[in-house]
Every structure is written in structure tokens, then in C-alpha cells.
Amino acid sequence: MIRYSTKIINIYYLVFMCEFIFEYLDYFTIEEYFNMKWSICFLTKVVEQIKPIKVFNNFKDKRLQLIKSKKDKTGVYCLVNLVNGNIYLGSSVNLAVRMKNYLNTTFLKHKKNNNMPIVKALLKYGQENFAVLIVEYVDVENLTVRETHYIKQLLPYYNVLK
């Protein structure tokens, strides 16, 4: 009997899921198909790692639903770049306000924010090319601890100041 490592099995599963999702989608151009395929594969990979409470697969299109449903909620969130798969993990005592800030181009362009890699990425790729994952709701006292836990676990690309 051949034994496969968990990592190899997970990679095969991810590839299978990505292929399965697109098996029946034949009404896109090749470029749209390719871009969507990678976007969903990036998102699937992060969802498998984090197992979030809620996924908003298009930050900009789902903004009203996201802001309305997260009003006055405290928790840890993840932004996933659907173009390249890079992620950002953050936390907020008010998730709705934080998401409003990320959706506000004037806020993003303000000089106090211009050194943040996630801000640069949101401006470069556009909010429509990001997904938002609500990782977990947390009491204010444990917010930093839980955010740090996920940052150490996932080593997100955009959490490093450059």
C-alpha cells in the first residue's frame, strides 16, 4: 500500500476542487476562465486553511451586505487577493467601520496609510479583486491574541511593512 503525505493529499484535493468548480463553466472566454479559475483556487486554499465563519467572495460587490451584517461586531478578518493569492490578516473592534475604510479610496490614498502593503494592493488591484473572510468573532480582550495566532500560523504576505 502506498502512503501519501497529508500535504500531497491536500494539494490533490485543492486541484480536484478547482477543476470540479470549473468543469461545467463553458460560457466564459479563455482569459476570464483562467482568471476566475485561479481566483477561486486562491480563495479555496485560504478557506481550507482558516475555515472562516463567513466568506464574501467579492469585497466591492458584497460591500453593503458585509457592512450591514458586521455592524458593531468585533473580530478577526482576512483579505484575500484573488489575482495573486496573497493575504492580509487583521482585527477590529468594529468590523463594519474597518471594511468601510478599506472601501473608501480617499481613505486609502491618505498619506498616513500609504506605507501599508494591503492599502497599496487594494489601490493597485482594486477592491473588486479581493475577498473578505470573517475568521472569527472575538471579545476585545482576546482580539490581539487571536489575530497574532492567525498571523503566526499563516504568515500573510501583506502583514509585513515594506
Side-chain angles (χ1 to χ4, degrees), residues 27-131:
Y27 50 88
F28 296 102
T29 66
I30 296 298
E31 184 176 333
E32 289 171 327
Y33 172 81
F34 181 76
N35 290 338
M36 285 179 57
K37 185 174 183 175
W38 283 111
S39 296
I40 291 177
C41 289
F42 290 139
L43 186 55
T44 302
K45 179 182 174 190
V46 176
V47 167
E48 285 290 319
Q49 290 175 315
I50 296 176
K51 301 195 181 6
I53 296 170
K54 182 74 177 166
V55 176
F56 297 89
N57 61 355
N58 186 313
F59 191 17
K60 197 167 189 174
D61 287 350
K62 303 289 184 185
R63 66 186 176 274
L64 296 177
Q65 180 187 1
L66 171 62
I67 291 167
K68 186 177 178 182
S69 67
K70 303 308 161 208
K71 186 176 181 183
D72 300 325
K73 301 255 179 150
T74 301
V76 179
Y77 63 92
C78 178
L79 297 177
V80 181
N81 185 326
L82 300 174
V83 174
N84 59 25
N86 292 331
I87 65 172
Y88 174 78
L89 273 153
S91 63
S92 179
V93 294
N94 191 326
L95 290 168
V97 170
R98 181 62 51 88
M99 295 306 122
K100 280 183 188 177
N101 288 339
Y102 286 138
L103 288 162
N104 183 337
T105 305
T106 304
F107 173 84
L108 295 176
K109 290 182 177 178
H110 192 274
K111 63 182 176 183
K112 75 175 186 169
N113 300 317
N114 67 2
N115 69 329
M116 295 173 60
I118 187 59
V119 169
K120 290 179 182 178
L122 286 165
L123 290 169
K124 178 178 178 179
Y125 296 102
Q127 293 100 330
E128 66 277 1
N129 286 309
F130 281 82

Side-chain angles (χ1 to χ4, degrees), residues 14-25 33 36-37 40-41 44:
L14 180 62
V15 170
F16 170 76
M17 288 304 296
C18 292
E19 288 296 324
F20 179 78
I21 289 167
F22 286 95
E23 185 175 318
Y24 300 102
L25 299 177
Y33 172 81
M36 285 179 57
K37 185 174 183 175
I40 291 177
C41 289
T44 302

Side-chain angles (χ1 to χ4, degrees), residues 5 11 20 29 62 68 99 103 139 141 146 151 153:
S5 74
I11 290 170
F20 179 78
T29 66
K62 303 289 184 185
K68 186 177 178 182
M99 295 306 122
L103 288 162
D139 294 329
E141 303 82 39
R146 296 305 296 158
I151 289 172
Q153 177 185 347

